[in-house]
Amino acid sequence: MTDPGSSTAPLPAESTGQGVVEPLRVPGGGLDPGAGVVEPLRAPGGGLDPGAGVVEPLRVPGADAATRAWAALPVLAQAFLVAALVDLLARVLGLFGLPPPIDIAEPISLLGYLPHLALVLLPVAVLWRRPDAAQATPLVLWGAVALGLAELLTLPLTLLVPLGADMTLWALVGVLGIAGGTAGYALLALGLADLTQSVPSQVQLGLSNVVLWVIAASAILTTLLGFVVTPVDLGDPGLNTRVQLVNAIGPLPILAAAYLARIVVRGTSDVRRPTAATTTATGAVLLKAFVHVASLVLALVVLIQLAFGLAPGQLGVGSSLVFGLLGGVADILLVAAFALGLADTSVRIPGAGEARHPTDEAVGGREPLRWPAPGGDVPVYRPIERPAAEASPEAEQPAPGRRRGRASDRPTKSNESKEQA
């Protein structure tokens, strides 16, 4: 039954009316078309806001930049990055007997792992700075690859073939590791020598020779002292020979690194490469030379102590640790120099506020330098000379009131009197 005064229509017979929500009605009995409808947010100007109500997904800071950087790297650089990550995981898990990257009891041990990681990533540094290094600087790239592989694989392979298990295989692994390091440093030196076109100053020439002989002599003398202080005696002449062979050729990578140090110092003033890179590399090799000299002096002190029957004190052990850490810092700086562009001679346009040098081929309208042979005269910077055909007509016309030619051909009072006579 319905109320006679009610304005609503009666419900159907089969419906009880429970749970039914009557729509709102406008005055006059019609339904309100906008009842219960939520208007969407509108942007200023009347259009719908496409981002209204949309929740942005969470993003890791720097993830997009890292993805773009990874995609921009050549495949070879990506391979070395993966290899460095695998090496780190193997050290963390203690696989193959590899030492951990850091000892919790001695956090300073991390400084011993970082130089190893830097040398493994040397090909990445070269390719990151110059993705076309395979075509532009092939010697530098393959030298970095050889050095990175030697640093990555020598220790795991040596631990897999321990001393005494198979001496022939052990010696072969040692020889391959030494050969890889020697080839790496030698190729890097040859590649940088090809890129260096500046004439070093007399100071740089002298300093480069000092660095070369200091590193080479210290490496050779240290090896000889090792034979004297700790002779090899495994009870088998054949085993002794193999071990002595590996120890004898051990300084070869250091000799190649000494040659690389000489090339780096001679190219310190090369303006075709970034100054930050050449300066950093020179500082690295000078620090390396200091470490070698200090290590040689320390070895001589220990030898004298042993000769007089004295045990080496804690000073010798602590000094050896400090010198090892400084040598690792030098390796890190050298890799950083390659990342800064030590092997990059591409034309570079100076930025705003950056000093412009006349050797910048893209700036200043000057010709590329024609460097003389080593030891020749310092090159002279001069503007590009236009061909004679392009010379302006005004340059060919003499100044008003003047005649071209020698001074003796110019008319004088004596010549005019002779002509009148």
Side-chain angles (χ1 to χ4, degrees):
M1 298 298 291
T2 61
D3 187 0
S6 177
S7 60
T8 59
L11 295 176
E14 62 273 11
S15 174
T16 60
Q18 296 179 356
V20 177
V21 179
E22 279 293 318
L24 297 178
R25 299 180 181 273
V26 296
L31 295 177
D32 185 2
V37 178
V38 180
E39 283 290 326
L41 296 177
R42 297 182 180 275
L48 293 180
D49 187 1
V54 179
V55 180
E56 286 290 331
L58 295 178
R59 297 181 182 275
V60 179
D64 294 338
T67 302
R68 290 193 299 269
W70 171 265
L73 285 175
V75 177
L76 183 60
Q78 295 177 352
F80 270 91
L81 277 175
V82 173
L85 180 60
V86 172
D87 176 74
L88 176 61
L89 293 178
R91 290 172 177 269
V92 171
L93 298 177
L95 302 178
F96 312 116
L98 292 172
I102 182 174
D103 188 355
I104 303 300
E106 298 180 359
I108 197 174
S109 61
L110 179 63
L111 298 179
Y113 168 74
L114 293 180
H116 162 78
L117 178 63
L119 292 176
V120 172
L121 295 178
L122 179 57
V124 181
V126 173
L127 290 170
W128 176 77
R129 177 72 190 200
R130 194 78 190 259
D132 62 339
Q135 294 78 29
T137 57
L139 291 178
V140 173
L141 176 60
W142 299 124
V145 169
L147 190 58
L149 289 177
E151 184 69 26
L152 180 67
L153 299 177
T154 299
L155 182 58
L157 293 179
T158 303
L159 294 176
L160 289 177
V161 186
L163 182 63
D166 188 344
M167 291 305 301
T168 301
L169 186 58
W170 178 86
L172 179 61
V173 171
V175 169
L176 290 178
I178 294 172
T182 304
Y185 283 116
L187 290 175
L188 287 175
L190 294 175
L192 291 181
D194 289 342
L195 296 177
T196 304
Q197 297 183 5
S198 61
V199 178
S201 63
Q202 294 298 324
V203 174
Q204 293 171 350
L205 285 174
L207 185 60
S208 65
N209 292 330
V210 169
V211 169
L212 170 66
W213 290 109
V214 162
I215 297 178
S218 62
I220 295 175
L221 292 177
T222 303
T223 303
L224 294 177
L225 289 177
F227 280 110
V228 174
V229 176
T230 57
V232 178
D233 186 9
L234 299 178
D236 186 347
L239 299 181
N240 294 340
T241 302
R242 294 181 178 86
V243 175
Q244 290 174 351
L245 173 64
V246 175
N247 293 339
I249 66 175
L252 290 181
I254 302 179
L255 297 180
Y259 178 59
L260 172 62
R262 177 178 180 267
I263 298 299
V264 167
V265 174
R266 289 171 66 93
T268 304
S269 59
D270 189 2
V271 295
R272 298 172 67 242
R273 292 176 288 170
T275 304
T278 55
T279 305
T280 302
T282 301
V285 298
L286 291 179
L287 179 60
K288 201 74 169 180
F290 167 77
V291 169
H292 280 282
V293 172
S295 300
L296 177 60
V297 172
L298 179 62
L300 291 174
V301 171
V302 172
L303 180 60
I304 294 174
Q305 290 177 338
L306 294 176
F308 287 93
L310 302 176
Q314 294 296 326
L315 178 61
V317 178
S319 301
S320 179
L321 176 62
V322 172
F323 296 153
L325 294 179
L326 290 179
V329 172
D331 292 334
I332 295 175
L333 290 177
L334 184 61
V335 176
F338 278 98
L340 291 173
L342 185 61
D344 186 5
T345 57
S346 56
V347 177
R348 184 176 57 88
I349 300 178
E354 187 178 359
R356 296 187 176 187
H357 197 279
T359 56
D360 290 331
E361 299 177 9
V363 179
R366 298 180 179 270
E367 65 179 357
L369 296 180
R370 296 186 177 92
W371 293 98
D377 297 333
V378 178
V380 178
Y381 309 117
R382 58 188 180 88
I384 299 176
E385 297 178 0
R386 294 184 298 176
E390 298 179 6
S392 59
E394 292 77 9
E396 300 294 334
Q397 299 296 333
R402 298 184 59 184
R403 294 179 56 185
R404 301 179 59 181
R406 296 179 299 176
S408 60
D409 296 335
R410 297 175 183 174
T412 60
K413 292 183 178 180
S414 59
N415 292 339
E416 292 178 355
S417 61
K418 291 179 182 180
E419 292 178 355
Q420 292 177 359

